[in-house]
Amino acid sequence: FTLGSGLVFLVILKILVHLPWVHLISGALQLAGAFLLASLVGNYISIRAPYRIAPGSLKPTKTSSKTSLLIFALHLLFPVAMVPVCLPAVMDFFLSRVGGMRPGFVYLAGSLVLFALSLAAYGLSLRPLGELLQRREKEILTVVTQEVE
């Protein structure tokens, strides 16, 4: 859903502002890299700070102050984990202005590197996160199934 809606917006930009093809492809690669990074961070957060969602709503039930603080800190640090997503566009901007390089191709190369590194990081994180999930399985099940009033 996320990738699909992002691609729709990229196509709309292509049509409305005549976005160059190199930027469209770079944006799609950047979007895929961002999705993989967000998935990696989200998986870690959900294992480290699980909480119960009330049936019929998307609101968390009462959580301990320790869990609430951990959730707050992890969500506050989430943008830091997403900084690499901005690097290809920033590098393209500065290298095309200052370095005299052709605009768009640094963005494409940077987005391709971002996607490859994100894919590798996500793939390499699956085993350690799976082991962490397995170690914390009973604790997580207790938290997400226990009704707190």
Side-chain angles (χ1 to χ4, degrees), residues 3-133:
L3 292 174
S5 61
L7 290 174
V8 167
F9 282 116
L10 283 173
V11 169
I12 290 171
L13 281 173
K14 171 72 178 145
I15 293 168
L16 292 179
V17 295
H18 308 291
L19 189 68
W21 283 103
V22 71
H23 284 95
L24 181 73
I25 295 166
S26 300
L29 287 169
Q30 192 176 17
L31 184 65
F35 177 75
L36 289 169
L37 281 177
S39 296
L40 191 153
V41 172
N43 289 343
Y44 179 75
I45 290 172
S46 65
I47 292 170
R48 276 289 166 203
Y51 54 90
R52 186 172 191 279
I53 302 292
S57 74
L58 293 177
K59 295 181 181 180
T61 59
K62 295 178 184 175
T63 59
S64 69
S65 57
K66 178 184 171 187
T67 302
S68 296
L69 185 60
L70 183 60
I71 292 167
F72 178 73
L74 290 172
H75 285 212
L76 193 63
L77 292 173
F78 183 77
V80 174
M82 300 312 289
V83 165
V85 174
C86 302
L87 292 179
V90 170
M91 286 176 18
D92 181 65
F93 177 78
F94 284 115
L95 289 176
S96 65
R97 301 289 189 282
V98 176
M101 298 186 81
R102 194 167 169 201
F105 291 101
V106 173
Y107 184 29
L108 179 61
S111 296
L112 189 58
V113 168
L114 169 75
F115 175 70
L117 290 175
S118 298
L119 187 62
Y122 184 78
L124 291 172
S125 75
L126 290 177
R127 181 173 302 275
L129 286 176
E131 291 169 358
L132 179 62
L133 177 62

